[in-house]
Amino acid sequence: MFIDSGLPLVGYRFVVVIFTAGVPNPVDMQFTEVSGLKMSRGISKNGAMTTLDNQLPTQTLSLKRGVFTAPSPLMAANVAESLFWDTKLLRKDIMVNVLDEDDDPVNSWMITNAYLEAWEWQGLNATSNDVLIETMTYKYSSIKYIPLKVTKTGRF
């Protein structure tokens, strides 16, 4: 029996929703690149016994986007966070959604309790006309993969 696995997803249709204090940011959703979506766990072997480590390893999520002239909620949140940079870790939940051709979410990754580790801007170059790109790097240890596309038969 042939099972239709559908079409491969394209990696250029996606949106990112960043939640601050449980509130989603509906403005800053478009990024040029997301990297670091990784599920990982620590496994220890002691003789014949294999066990899971008590803590999940820390991963790195990078979000890249163009810098805009108008302020945005994410920029304001990052500026506010930078005021407490050496004293507080402000945690955020981040949902990365891959979209189908109708812009409906098909697959998602939910990263919880992420904190901003670095906020950087690419180099400036007077001989280039490229868009200025900012990169936000988050540390996290908890990620859940969520397949969202439901077929006509009601199955994933």
Side-chain angles (χ1 to χ4, degrees), residues 25 27-28 65 67-77 79 119 134:
N25 177 345
V27 176
D28 297 298
R65 69 178 192 163
V67 177
F68 291 91
T69 55
S72 70
L74 182 57
M75 181 194 300
V79 168
W119 186 21
E134 67 180 339

Side-chain angles (χ1 to χ4, degrees), residues 51-132:
T51 59
L52 291 173
D53 290 346
N54 290 335
Q55 289 189 329
L56 292 173
T58 301
Q59 306 297 339
T60 302
L61 178 73
S62 293
L63 306 176
K64 293 184 180 185
R65 69 178 192 163
V67 177
F68 291 91
T69 55
S72 70
L74 182 57
M75 181 194 300
N78 286 351
V79 168
E81 186 165 351
S82 71
L83 299 175
F84 305 103
W85 196 253
D86 19 347
T87 59
K88 292 189 188 236
L89 289 176
L90 301 178
R91 302 205 179 251
K92 299 175 178 3
D93 295 337
I94 302 169
M95 180 176 264
V96 178
N97 300 291
V98 177
L99 307 175
D100 66 9
E101 62 278 357
D102 298 320
D103 289 334
D104 293 326
V106 182
N107 284 347
S108 292
W109 293 266
M110 186 66 177
I111 296 107
T112 54
N113 292 317
Y115 56 89
L116 186 62
E117 179 189 43
W119 186 21
E120 67 180 287
W121 299 265
Q122 77 180 43
L124 304 172
N125 184 344
T127 63
S128 172
N129 64 352
D130 291 339
V131 171
L132 178 61

